[in-house]
Amino acid sequence: YTGDVRSVPALHEAIEAAQPEIVFHLAAQPLERASYEDPRATFETNVMGTVNLLEAVRSLPNVRAVVIITTDKCYENREWSYGYRESDPLGGFDPYSSSKACAELVSAAYRHSFFNPADHGMGHRVGVATARAGNVIGGGDWSEDRLIPDCVRAFSAGKTLVLRYPAAIRPRQHVLEPLSGYLWLAALLHERGPGYADAWNFGPDDRSVMSVEDVVRKVAALWGNGAYRLDDEGAPPVAGALKLDISRAHRELDW
């Protein structure tokens, strides 16, 4: 389904027509700066879109696994130097991050109330998990405020790229890496049941974490004539340091 998750009849009709056994929920308003410009739409999409999806799942007898993709920014950011674990508090100081933390809480509420692992095989046969992935790069994403696409747009046009948060640290990974985690998590939910119905981090190891400026410097060097400058005037606040602890996915999912 590629339509608007806020449209309940269309969403339910599409899911009922497909009669899926596995559901991946990736619909979102995914941009921090856009969430400042339209917070209402951000919360409607990211929170109520998740509610609408899970309500549709409740009416379908064939569903066995639901993987809801949120974000690494769902954690209450305390500018720690070490990675956040799945058991750390949720939060979010901007509308986007807060909406994704809310989506995690919605998922946990539905998992406890309607798809409780303790009742699996009796009242239901559905496993609901959430995936908190680091910053993803890779082909196909041309949204604004994406670091690599912004580099390519500026450098290919011979323009100087403006960096607003040069020192910000993010857990960057290629798109195929978290996708492998999502697929494997769904397979485990489907085949082995509710023991995997929980929240999971998917990201790079700590050695792969880089600052914004470090990434842009490498891209500019590879491009050959890329130029950039620093300017954070008027930029909305964002987290400075963000890392994920992925040891649980390594240990329990063998990912």
Side-chain angles (χ1 to χ4, degrees):
Y1 176 71
T2 58
D4 193 335
V5 290
R6 295 171 294 181
S7 175
V8 176
L11 174 64
H12 284 219
E13 181 180 353
I15 295 178
E16 287 175 356
Q19 288 294 311
E21 292 183 23
I22 299 175
V23 176
F24 293 95
H25 178 40
L26 294 92
Q29 191 299 94
L31 302 174
E32 289 175 75
R33 188 157 57 157
S35 78
Y36 282 103
E37 297 168 357
D38 195 347
R40 182 187 182 95
T42 298
F43 280 101
E44 287 178 344
T45 300
N46 295 349
V47 182
M48 291 309 300
T50 303
V51 171
N52 295 340
L53 177 83
L54 289 169
E55 277 294 292
V57 168
R58 288 182 62 196
S59 66
L60 297 175
N62 294 337
V63 176
R64 298 292 177 266
V66 182
V67 178
I68 297 173
I69 314 304
T70 61
T71 177
D72 54 357
K73 298 171 186 65
C74 67
Y75 292 104
E76 181 181 328
N77 193 289
R78 300 178 182 178
E79 302 292 345
W80 284 333
S81 61
Y82 54 85
Y84 291 91
R85 299 159 297 184
E86 290 88 346
S87 57
D88 285 325
L90 300 173
F93 300 122
D94 61 89
Y96 167 71
S97 301
S98 176
S99 71
K100 285 297 196 174
C102 291
E104 285 279 352
L105 293 173
V106 165
S107 302
Y110 270 77
R111 181 165 53 234
H112 180 81
S113 299
F114 307 112
F115 309 116
N116 197 306
D119 299 329
H120 191 273
M122 296 178 287
H124 69 91
R125 295 176 61 192
V126 182
V128 176
T130 58
R132 303 162 179 180
N135 289 49
V136 174
I137 62 174
D141 183 0
W142 287 100
S143 298
E144 294 185 8
D145 294 340
R146 299 295 199 208
L147 188 56
I148 304 300
D150 283 353
C151 287
V152 173
R153 275 189 287 262
F155 297 164
S156 62
K159 297 180 179 179
T160 299
L161 177 68
V162 178
L163 295 188
R164 294 182 302 277
Y165 313 105
I169 295 173
R170 296 290 185 268
R172 303 185 190 281
Q173 58 190 326
H174 189 268
V175 62
L176 295 182
E177 294 169 346
L179 282 177
S180 72
Y182 304 160
L183 292 168
W184 183 232
L185 175 58
L188 291 172
L189 282 169
H190 186 280
E191 298 300 325
R192 302 184 190 178
Y196 301 93
D198 207 342
W200 302 89
N201 286 341
F202 295 103
D205 60 39
D206 200 53
R207 296 167 297 177
S208 301
V209 176
M210 301 172 66
S211 73
V212 167
E213 188 171 8
D214 286 340
V215 173
V216 172
R217 187 182 295 115
K218 285 181 176 291
V219 176
L222 290 168
W223 197 269
N225 61 348
Y228 66 93
R229 64 181 176 86
L230 311 182
D231 185 2
D232 59 0
E233 183 176 352
V238 299
L242 181 55
K243 297 181 181 180
L244 289 177
D245 184 329
I246 57 172
S247 58
R248 187 183 180 210
H250 280 312
R251 183 178 64 252
E252 299 182 31
L253 301 181
D254 195 26
W255 176 75

